[in-house]
Amino acid sequence: MSLDNYDKDKFVVLVCAGPSARFVKKADEYYTAGVNVTPNLIEETDFWVVNDACYFIDIPEEKLLKIKNLAMPQFPHTVNGSNYMPNEKLDYLALTKTMPSNIKIHPFNIHTAPRFNMPYDTNLPYFEVKSSSESCFRWLLHNGFTKFISLGHDPSGGYHDSQYSRPTKQGGRFMVKTPIDNSRYQMVHQRMRSVVEEAKASWIRVVLPADSSFDKEVFNKVKDHPLDETGYAEVTL
C-alpha cells in the first residue's frame, strides 16, 4: 500500500509509551504516529506501528476507526500465548482479518524473521530493531518522512499511567500498574538517535507538563527549535 499521497515534508508527531507521553490533538500541520497502545492517546492516528500483536486487544473499536495505517512485521511477536516468538501460521494477514477496512495494512520484516526461520518475504522492507519505536522511525524513514517530534520517549524508562499492557516472554501481556524502570530504553534511545543521524533526519523530543496536551500551538513553539549536529533536540515547556 503506497504512501505517495502523503506530504513527506510534514512533521510526524510520535507518541511513545513513556511517562512523558501526552494526548495529541489532530492538526493539519503534522501527521501523528502511535506505537503499541499509544493510539489511545491520539485524537486521530495516521500511522500505528507494532512489533507485538498482543496489543491489538488494548485498542477499542472507536479508536480503531480513527487509525489510517497499521505497519507491522509480516510475522509479529507475541501471538500464540506460549512465548513471544513469531509463528508461521499467525502472520500479519491472519492477525488483521477483523481490522476495520479504514486501516490500511503495511507489512515489513524485522530481525526475528530469519532468527526463527520464518518464511519471510525478502521483497518487504527489512529492519534490525530493538523496540516498536525504532520500528516506527525506520519504517517512516523508509517511506520518506524525515521530520519527527516525539512525546513519551523517555531514555530512563518507565511507562505512562495510561499504558495498558506490555508483552511477556510467555506470549501474553500483563497490565502495567506501577512505573517500570527499564535500562534497555537508554540503549533504544541511542539507537534511535543513530538512526536519525544516519538518515540526516531531525528529531525533537518534547516534554510537556503533566496536565497538558500537544496541539497546533505547541507544535508552532517547538518545530523550529535548533538541532545539534546529529539532528536532535530536547525541548521542555
Side-chain angles (χ1 to χ4, degrees):
M1 186 64 64
S2 173
L3 297 177
D4 290 345
N5 58 324
Y6 284 83
D7 181 357
K8 305 302 171 52
D9 198 47
K10 273 191 184 183
F11 275 87
V12 180
V13 179
L14 167 63
V15 183
C16 303
S20 67
R22 300 291 181 263
F23 187 81
V24 174
K25 297 180 180 179
K26 177 185 176 182
D28 291 337
E29 287 73 16
Y30 51 80
Y31 297 120
T32 58
V35 294
N36 302 334
V37 306
T38 65
N40 288 323
L41 289 173
I42 303 172
E43 185 175 5
E44 292 189 11
T45 302
D46 291 294
F47 310 110
W48 179 26
V49 181
V50 298
N51 288 343
D52 300 87
C54 64
Y55 286 122
F56 290 170
I57 196 172
D58 291 319
I59 307 297
E61 182 70 18
E62 59 268 24
K63 276 296 181 185
L64 290 175
L65 294 174
K66 294 185 177 182
I67 297 174
K68 295 179 181 177
N69 298 280
L70 167 59
M72 60 187 293
Q74 182 183 4
F75 297 98
H77 297 174
T78 322
V79 293
N80 55 25
S82 60
N83 54 50
Y84 71 95
M85 295 187 297
N87 184 298
E88 182 175 343
K89 295 181 179 179
L90 296 173
D91 67 358
Y92 79 103
L93 291 171
L95 293 164
T96 59
K97 281 183 178 179
T98 60
M99 286 284 174
S101 60
N102 56 284
I103 300 179
K104 308 305 180 186
I105 311 297
H106 306 265
F108 57 87
N109 275 304
I110 58 176
H111 60 286
T112 48
R115 178 182 175 186
F116 294 112
N117 298 311
M118 295 291 107
Y120 68 100
D121 183 350
T122 57
N123 292 315
L124 293 176
Y126 176 87
F127 311 121
E128 297 273 342
V129 299
K130 295 294 185 182
S131 72
S132 293
S133 296
E134 186 179 353
S135 288
C136 189
F137 262 23
R138 289 190 181 276
W139 182 78
L140 287 168
L141 284 163
H142 175 81
N143 282 286
F145 299 95
T146 61
K147 299 178 180 179
F148 305 104
I149 292 171
S150 73
L151 299 104
H153 187 80
D154 298 299
S156 59
Y159 286 88
H160 189 270
D161 58 13
S162 72
Q163 174 78 10
Y164 282 68
S165 69
R166 60 174 296 176
T168 68
K169 288 186 177 181
Q170 292 71 40
R173 62 195 183 100
F174 72 85
M175 306 306 289
V176 175
K177 300 294 186 183
T178 57
I180 301 169
D181 291 323
N182 193 332
S183 59
R184 84 179 177 96
Y185 279 100
Q186 184 64 52
M187 177 267 290
V188 168
H189 181 73
Q190 291 304 320
R191 285 180 62 93
M192 290 175 64
R193 287 195 60 176
S194 295
V195 169
V196 167
E197 182 178 10
E198 290 167 7
K200 301 188 185 311
S202 66
W203 176 16
I204 302 173
R205 176 176 174 259
V206 176
V207 179
L208 300 176
D211 59 349
S212 63
S213 59
F214 187 95
D215 56 16
K216 178 181 175 180
E217 181 180 352
V218 176
F219 172 75
N220 286 330
K221 288 180 180 178
V222 304
K223 66 183 177 68
D224 296 318
H225 194 280
L227 306 170
D228 68 14
E229 65 276 6
T230 70
Y232 179 75
E234 294 189 359
V235 181
T236 300
L237 298 178

